[in-house]
Amino acid sequence: MSLQHLGGATLTACLRHWAATTPDEPAVTFADFSVDRDGRRRGLTWRRLAERADAVAAALPVRPGDRVAVLCPQGADYVAGFLGAIAAGAIAVPLFDPGLPGHAGRLTAVLDDCAPTAVVTTTAAQAAVEDFLDSGVPVVAADRPGPVRSWPAPEASPDDIAYLQYTSGSTRSPAGVVLTHANVLANVTQAVHGLGLDPATATTVSWLPLFHDMGLVLGLITPLALGLRSVLMDPLAFIERPVRWLELLGDHAGAWSAAPNFAFHYCASRVREPDRLRLDRVAGIINGAEPINPDVLDRFHTAFAAAGYRPEKTRPAYGLAEATVFVTTGPAAAPSVTTFDRDALATGTGRPAGTGVRLVACGVPAGQRVALVDPHTAVVLADGEVGEIWVHGPNVGAGYWEKPLESTETFGARLAGDHAGLPDGPWLRTGDLGVRHGGELYIAGRIKDLVIVDGRNHYPQDVEATAASADPEIRPGSVAAFAVEGTETESVVVVAEHRAHDTLTEEAERALVSAVRRLVSDAHGLSLRDVLLVPAGRVPRTSSGKIARGACRDRYLAGDYGKALAR
């Protein structure tokens, strides 16, 4: 599949194409569980979606290059608002309404950074949005946009900026990745090739937030580019009852979806009577956005085997916002898992072993180049050596919005030494560590999260998994391990959420802390400085649900967790 098989060379052209050629086919359907336990379906055809987007575009008082922040709740109005901003010739900034708990500070920081000329929301959220902005910036309701202010907009070109994708900020402050129409549509083509997605039969089903890179590309842009039906639900509806997502998948033959690792664990833990589901018709579920736990995959596959779900439907993948979203994925086969020697991995070598660290392969790139590089020398490393993942391809963004120095450092890297067959640059430095083994990419962790003690590298997610194994009541995916400065070297702290924290006796807590220390010492040779057990919700996350280890470290150093038990 190539770009000429898409609906057009820009997102707006794709919308126009499907509205003209398949006007009465469903474009987007929102399953609204806030008004109906079974999810009331609200949908737009391609014709109606184009009309709604045009109405928003006409009401926006913008000029080409202005930014329009999309502060809509999840749903069809979000899709119309996002596409309306682009149809107006503006640069869309997919965000969230101020009602999202715990992220007001991030929203303020992003709005300050992108300085929007206008905001799109809904009539239900408009008052809250205007109160939050308190700035006089015009606010347009996607479901009732108002009078025409600026129309017609100039025709977009592939190299025009389509939107700014703000990163989740798991290791730094949010930054807006500049993505053109060409970047985004190239990534759709790459994903179709890599996944083997069949546009003739596919439907996308997603609960991921539309302001998140994976949620936006899977739930909005891929269906727009290919003329597919997009079925959306609210993330909160998934958290309340994860079976809703699986039921929606079963309702649509050829369904494709995506979710982070925690969602697979959540479904396997919370869904009762899985055999009543119809998951045999699911085409595939992409597992990405956070480290993939092979034990979680095994549990998910076992739990839903009776519903017709086979392991080969799970597609481990690697990607990041700076590359639009998609970089690598594996074949339509059961996920490949390799056990690497823990000591060798700590010294930079991925050597298979009988016991050690189990990592899931994330496949190979499609339509782009991936190199494993020494982050200090920029020299390409051999297979089996742990290095920084560098990416080169038409899907890589142009840089960070109005951050020239950071853009050059991240998006303008060049290889040194002998790198026959690979371009000099520019390369995207991902900040992620990986190793290539058996032709596939395995993700080891983030450079900025790496814990170095006595000259040995320790991957925090590996330490976190060990700590979580101490007690079933330690919430999986809710443990943070990070380094703090010690007297002579870095030392490590573990903060873990415990489901029954409020009922833990001091004696039981001391025993559990000792168990965590012993397990981490035995597995990793680490003597932990502190182990803190905290109630649910106390380990900070980014807006996309990743563990924010830097923020957790800041809270620890500020004393927000109180004093650890004497031990």
Side-chain angles (χ1 to χ4, degrees):
M1 181 178 180
S2 58
L3 280 174
Q4 62 259 34
H5 293 94
L6 304 177
T10 67
L11 299 183
T12 308
C14 290
L15 179 60
R16 301 272 176 262
H17 174 79
W18 302 118
T21 59
T22 57
D24 299 319
E25 290 296 313
V28 57
T29 300
F30 180 61
D32 189 351
F33 292 94
S34 68
V35 297
D36 188 323
R37 181 178 175 84
D38 295 324
R40 181 180 299 172
R41 306 313 197 253
R42 305 175 189 272
L44 296 174
T45 63
W46 285 108
R47 176 194 288 118
R48 185 62 183 137
L49 177 58
E51 291 171 349
R52 289 280 305 277
D54 285 347
V56 172
L60 286 167
V62 295
R63 294 177 297 178
D66 286 347
R67 276 76 59 212
V68 173
V70 184
L71 273 60
C72 296
Q74 187 98 337
D77 292 331
Y78 198 112
V79 178
F82 177 83
L83 295 177
I86 295 174
I91 300 170
V93 186
L95 295 171
F96 43 88
D97 75 85
L100 184 68
H103 296 287
R106 177 176 183 266
L107 182 57
T108 298
V110 171
L111 292 172
D112 287 344
D113 188 72
C114 70
T117 300
V119 168
V120 176
T121 186
T122 61
T123 51
Q126 187 164 355
V129 167
E130 289 174 341
D131 287 345
F132 182 85
L133 294 172
D134 192 28
S135 61
V137 174
V139 177
V140 172
D143 51 338
R144 196 175 299 166
V148 173
R149 299 187 187 183
S150 60
W151 195 258
E155 191 70 27
S157 70
D159 292 331
D160 287 344
I161 302 171
Y163 61 94
L164 305 181
Q165 180 64 65
Y166 274 84
T167 60
S168 58
S170 60
T171 58
R172 55 174 166 74
S173 299
V177 181
V178 177
L179 294 171
T180 66
H181 294 267
N183 292 149
V184 176
L185 292 176
N187 202 226
V188 170
T189 302
Q190 292 164 341
V192 169
H193 277 299
L195 296 167
L197 184 151
D198 182 359
T201 60
T203 294
T204 64
V205 176
S206 180
W207 58 266
L208 296 173
L210 289 169
F211 59 82
H212 182 257
D213 53 1
M214 187 186 290
L216 183 67
V217 173
L218 174 81
L220 195 164
I221 290 173
T222 297
L224 174 69
L226 302 175
L228 311 180
R229 181 181 191 175
S230 170
V231 180
L232 302 172
M233 61 182 285
D234 192 277
L236 180 60
F238 168 75
I239 296 300
E240 289 174 342
R241 294 186 66 223
V243 71
R244 291 165 169 165
W245 173 47
L246 302 179
E247 288 172 342
L248 282 180
L249 284 169
D251 287 345
H252 300 279
W256 281 90
S257 194
N261 187 78
F262 92 85
F264 287 77
H265 181 275
Y266 195 57
C267 287
S269 303
R270 294 287 299 273
V271 174
R272 303 291 178 259
E273 300 179 4
D275 54 334
R276 71 178 181 80
L277 297 168
R278 299 178 57 198
L279 300 181
D280 56 308
R281 303 196 302 168
V282 174
I285 305 178
I286 302 162
N287 186 321
E290 64 183 23
I292 303 170
N293 186 322
D295 295 331
V296 168
L297 295 189
D298 291 343
R299 185 174 179 183
F300 184 87
H301 296 155
T302 299
F304 298 105
Y309 191 89
R310 301 187 306 277
E312 57 265 32
K313 295 178 184 289
T314 299
R315 307 297 293 276
Y318 167 73
L320 67 166
E322 287 82 352
T324 304
V325 66
F326 171 84
V327 176
T328 70
T329 193
S336 177
V337 178
T338 300
T339 301
F340 292 97
D341 182 273
R342 180 175 277 112
D343 291 338
L345 204 61
T347 57
T349 302
R351 186 171 68 234
T355 61
V357 182
R358 297 177 72 218
L359 298 180
V360 178
C362 290
V364 299
Q368 52 196 302
R369 311 296 289 273
V370 169
L372 279 300
V373 180
D374 185 314
H376 305 294
T377 65
V379 171
V380 176
L381 299 174
D383 287 1
E385 294 186 79
V386 177
E388 183 180 10
I389 302 167
W390 287 20
V391 179
H392 175 89
N395 54 305
V396 174
Y400 295 122
W401 179 254
E402 296 194 336
K403 288 180 169 59
L405 294 180
E406 289 184 34
S407 296
T408 299
E409 179 182 352
T410 302
F411 293 84
R414 295 195 171 273
L415 296 173
D418 182 15
H419 50 272
L422 294 173
D424 290 339
W427 287 82
L428 166 67
R429 299 190 60 166
T430 68
D432 292 319
L433 292 169
V435 60
R436 187 180 280 113
H437 170 73
E440 294 193 273
L441 179 67
Y442 291 77
I443 310 303
R446 291 283 296 166
I447 291 176
K448 291 182 179 179
D449 284 338
L450 196 65
V451 175
I452 304 174
V453 178
D454 296 330
R456 287 170 53 86
N457 296 337
H458 299 273
Y459 300 95
Q461 67 272 18
D462 194 17
V463 176
E464 290 158 3
T466 299
S469 70
D471 188 340
E473 294 301 308
I474 293 179
R475 302 183 71 219
S478 296
V479 182
F482 51 86
V484 295
E485 289 186 9
T487 306
E488 297 180 355
T489 185
E490 286 189 332
S491 55
V492 181
V493 174
V494 168
V495 179
E497 293 182 2
H498 193 279
R499 290 191 183 95
H501 182 269
D502 291 344
T503 60
L504 268 182
T505 64
E506 186 171 318
E507 182 180 1
E509 186 169 354
R510 288 181 189 279
L512 183 49
V513 165
S514 295
V516 170
R517 286 181 172 278
R518 183 174 61 255
L519 286 169
V520 171
S521 176
D522 291 347
H524 307 279
L526 282 173
S527 178
L528 297 177
R529 168 172 166 167
D530 268 335
V531 177
L532 294 104
L533 302 176
V534 298
R538 293 298 306 280
V539 172
R541 293 178 175 272
T542 69
S543 60
S544 59
K546 298 177 184 177
I547 295 295
R549 298 185 181 94
C552 194
R553 180 192 297 111
D554 291 343
R555 289 188 182 183
Y556 170 80
L557 294 175
D560 290 356
Y561 294 119
K563 293 183 178 180
L565 290 172
R567 44 194 173 268

